[in-house]
């Protein structure tokens, strides 16, 4: 099990640029201009410094406007931060920034919030050496015959709602890079892109049934000669038994997790599917897909208190709702605290160690 990382709002003097990101293909697409930022980064290094009014506006309206300064040129723009659930988009004048700075895939952008303003920089001396998108060439297959690999989850092999989500970064680096601009533009217009991931649809349900795909199998994918190839070897990858790690789901609480005005706990889709839904009956999983939420018993492992709560499906992630606001207040939860979650004997168990 990976060691859990703790996140908290730290003084910016420790790192003048706490948010750093290598630009992706979608970040520099001027036909649909926006910069995608992870929720953890935004809530830890931007939202905590906003005024209470700005934070409330962002939650209520789903977006908030503010001043943004290009520290390389000193130019000031009015931009917006838009909440997308598991990530945020920086919009407004982003297309103008992409064009004027000539931004390309692989360049590093740095961001920070200072004195009520979002500052960003793309230093020329810190550019990751990469060719422009049109000239990018994937590594020879001899280096990795299958550059995209994924362990199938319960939602991946559900024949009633057949789709295979693939991470945006791997799709753009190993599939879209081989497409002509017209194909990429058609993909954007047909909206098969889902922000931080892509869905493979069409005959996926037939593939699930014909190959008898199950949770834990690994699918391997590559793009060669204008065609998507995939393979599912016979070996199966099974999650480690709970005895190896009594708490398979661990998370550092974010600002949205401890907001008592809009109380919900966000859990990653893969973690929930691998360590919670994996133990559910087929009927329970089917109910979750049809109704997008299911009632569950939840027990506080620290106090023994039992709650009736709901697990709500949001596509790429899940929300635990119901009595979460009460739990926040009674346990006095704060940003950076670690919550641990597991499924045991038909009940969701959680703990927030002191």
């Amino acid at each position: 099990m990976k060691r859990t990382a703790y996140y908290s709002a730290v003084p910016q003097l420790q790192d003048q640029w706490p948010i750093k990101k290598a630009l992706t293909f979608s970040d520099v697409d001027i036909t649909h201009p926006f910069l995608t930022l992870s929720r953890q980064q935004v809530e830890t290094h931007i939202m905590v410094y906003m005024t209470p009014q700005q934070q409330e506006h962002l939650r209520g309206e789903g977006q908030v406007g503010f001043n943004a300064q290009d520290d390389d040129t000193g130019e000031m723009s009015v931009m917006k931060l838009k909440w997308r659930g598991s990530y945020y988009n920086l919009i407004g004048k982003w297309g103008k920034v992409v064009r004027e700075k000539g931004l390309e895939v692989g360049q590093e952008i740095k961001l920070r919030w200072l004195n009520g303003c979002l500052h960003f920089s793309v230093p020329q001396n810190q550019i990751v050496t990469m060719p422009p998108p049109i000239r990018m060439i994937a590594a020879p297959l001899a280096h990795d015959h299958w550059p995209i690999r994924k362990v199938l989850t319960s939602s991946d092999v559900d024949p009633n709602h057949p789709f295979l989500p693939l991470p945006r970064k791997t799709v753009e680096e190993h599939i879209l890079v081989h497409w002509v601009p017209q194909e990429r533009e058609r993909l954007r217009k047909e909206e098969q892109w889902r922000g931080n991931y892509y869905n493979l649809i069409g005959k996926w349900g037939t593939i699930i049934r014909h190959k008898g795909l199950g949770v834990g199998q690994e699918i391997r994918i590559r793009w060669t000669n204008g065609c998507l190839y995939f393979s599912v070897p016979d070996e199966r990858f099974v999650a480690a038994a709970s005895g190896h790690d009594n708490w398979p789901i661990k998370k550092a609480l974010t600002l949205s997790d401890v907001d008592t005005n809009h109380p919900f706990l966000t859990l990653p889709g893969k973690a929930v599917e691998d360590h919670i839904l994996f133990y559910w009956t087929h009927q329970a999983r089917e109910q979750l897909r049809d109704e997008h939420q299911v009632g569950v018993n939840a027990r506080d492992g620290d106090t023994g208190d039992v709650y009736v709560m709901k697990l709500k499906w949001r596509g790429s992630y899940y929300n635990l709702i119901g009595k979460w606001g009460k739990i926040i207040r009674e346990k006095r939860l704060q940003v950076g605290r670690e919550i641990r979650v597991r499924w045991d004997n038909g009940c969701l168990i959680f703990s927030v160690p002191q």
Side-chain angles (χ1 to χ4, degrees):
M1 191 75 187
K2 292 183 179 178
R3 181 176 298 173
T4 302
Y6 289 83
Y7 298 91
S8 61
V10 296
Q12 291 184 346
L13 289 177
Q14 293 183 11
D15 189 340
Q16 192 180 13
W17 298 101
I19 301 179
K20 299 177 183 179
K21 180 191 181 184
L23 295 172
T24 66
F25 177 79
S26 64
D27 293 329
V28 298
D29 180 2
I30 57 174
T31 61
H32 300 80
F34 56 83
L35 173 67
T36 299
L37 299 170
S38 75
R39 188 184 65 195
Q40 181 74 52
Q41 291 176 323
V42 170
E43 295 180 350
T44 303
H45 301 295
I46 295 178
M47 284 186 65
V48 291
Y49 300 108
M50 288 181 172
T51 65
Q53 293 80 4
Q54 287 177 311
Q55 293 180 12
E56 184 61 27
H57 192 274
L58 179 56
R59 287 196 175 75
E61 303 296 329
Q63 60 183 26
V64 65
F66 46 76
N67 290 325
Q69 178 175 303
D70 183 343
D71 279 15
D72 303 327
T73 65
E75 184 174 349
M76 188 78 73
S77 304
V78 176
M79 303 185 78
K80 288 183 179 180
L81 192 65
K82 193 163 188 176
W83 183 44
R84 294 295 193 178
S86 58
Y87 60 97
Y88 290 81
N89 283 340
L90 183 64
I91 60 176
K93 297 295 184 181
W94 180 247
K96 182 172 181 285
V97 173
V98 173
R99 288 189 297 269
E100 292 185 350
K101 296 178 78 71
L103 300 184
E104 297 178 352
V105 172
Q107 287 184 276
E108 182 184 62
I109 187 169
K110 304 179 179 182
L111 303 99
R112 69 172 184 259
W113 186 269
L114 186 63
N115 298 325
C117 178
L118 181 74
H119 295 254
F120 63 91
S121 171
V122 186
Q124 294 300 308
N125 60 352
Q126 294 188 28
I127 296 176
V128 180
T129 305
M130 293 180 67
I134 301 303
R135 299 186 355 244
M136 285 178 65
I137 300 176
L141 290 177
H143 292 177
D144 189 344
H145 192 57
W146 301 101
I148 301 177
R149 301 184 182 212
K150 180 187 183 184
V151 177
L152 296 173
T153 66
S154 59
S155 64
D156 296 332
V157 298
D158 181 358
N160 298 310
H161 300 84
F163 62 90
L164 176 66
L166 297 171
R168 185 184 68 192
K169 187 174 185 292
T170 56
V171 170
E172 292 177 350
E173 290 182 352
H174 301 294
I175 296 178
L176 302 193
V177 71
H178 300 289
W179 291 15
V180 298
Q182 293 83 353
E183 290 175 318
R184 293 195 292 259
E185 180 60 20
R186 187 166 65 250
L187 176 66
R188 296 292 185 275
K189 289 181 178 179
E190 293 179 358
E191 298 182 347
Q192 294 305 324
W193 177 57
R194 290 292 182 261
N196 59 346
Y197 61 98
Y198 292 81
N199 283 340
L200 184 64
I201 59 175
K203 296 294 184 181
W204 180 246
T206 302
I207 294 169
I208 293 172
R209 290 187 290 269
H210 286 183
K211 295 181 75 71
L213 299 183
V215 173
Q217 288 184 275
E218 182 186 62
I219 187 169
R220 304 174 182 181
I221 299 172
R222 73 172 186 264
W223 185 270
T224 306
N225 297 326
C227 182
L228 184 78
Y229 289 78
F230 64 92
S231 171
V232 185
D234 290 335
E235 62 263 26
R236 184 180 294 266
F237 296 80
V238 180
S242 59
H244 294 172
D245 190 333
N246 201 31
W247 300 101
I249 302 177
K250 299 178 183 180
K251 179 192 177 182
L253 294 172
T254 67
L255 192 63
S256 64
D257 294 328
V258 298
D259 180 2
T260 55
N261 296 314
H262 301 83
F264 57 85
L265 172 67
T266 299
L267 297 171
K270 187 176 188 303
V272 170
E273 291 165 356
D274 287 351
H275 303 293
I276 295 178
L277 304 192
F278 181 81
Y279 300 102
W280 287 18
T281 64
H282 173 75
Q283 290 81 359
R285 290 196 297 265
E286 187 66 18
Q287 181 184 351
L288 179 61
R289 291 295 177 270
D290 290 343
E291 300 177 9
H292 293 267
Q293 62 182 26
V294 167
V296 296
N297 290 324
R299 188 174 80 239
D300 185 337
D302 306 323
T303 65
D305 293 337
V306 177
Y307 306 90
V308 176
M309 303 183 72
K310 288 184 178 180
L311 190 66
K312 193 162 188 175
W313 181 40
R314 295 291 195 178
S316 60
Y317 61 98
Y318 293 79
N319 286 151
L320 184 64
I321 60 176
K323 298 295 184 179
W324 182 246
K326 183 174 185 287
I327 293 168
I328 294 173
R329 289 187 293 270
E330 292 184 350
K331 298 178 79 70
R332 298 180 180 178
L333 301 183
Q334 298 177 350
V335 172
R337 295 276 299 279
E338 182 189 63
I339 187 169
R340 303 175 179 182
V341 182
R342 73 171 185 264
W343 186 264
D344 189 17
N345 294 324
C347 184
L348 186 141
I349 318 293
F350 63 91
S351 170
V352 184
Q354 295 298 318

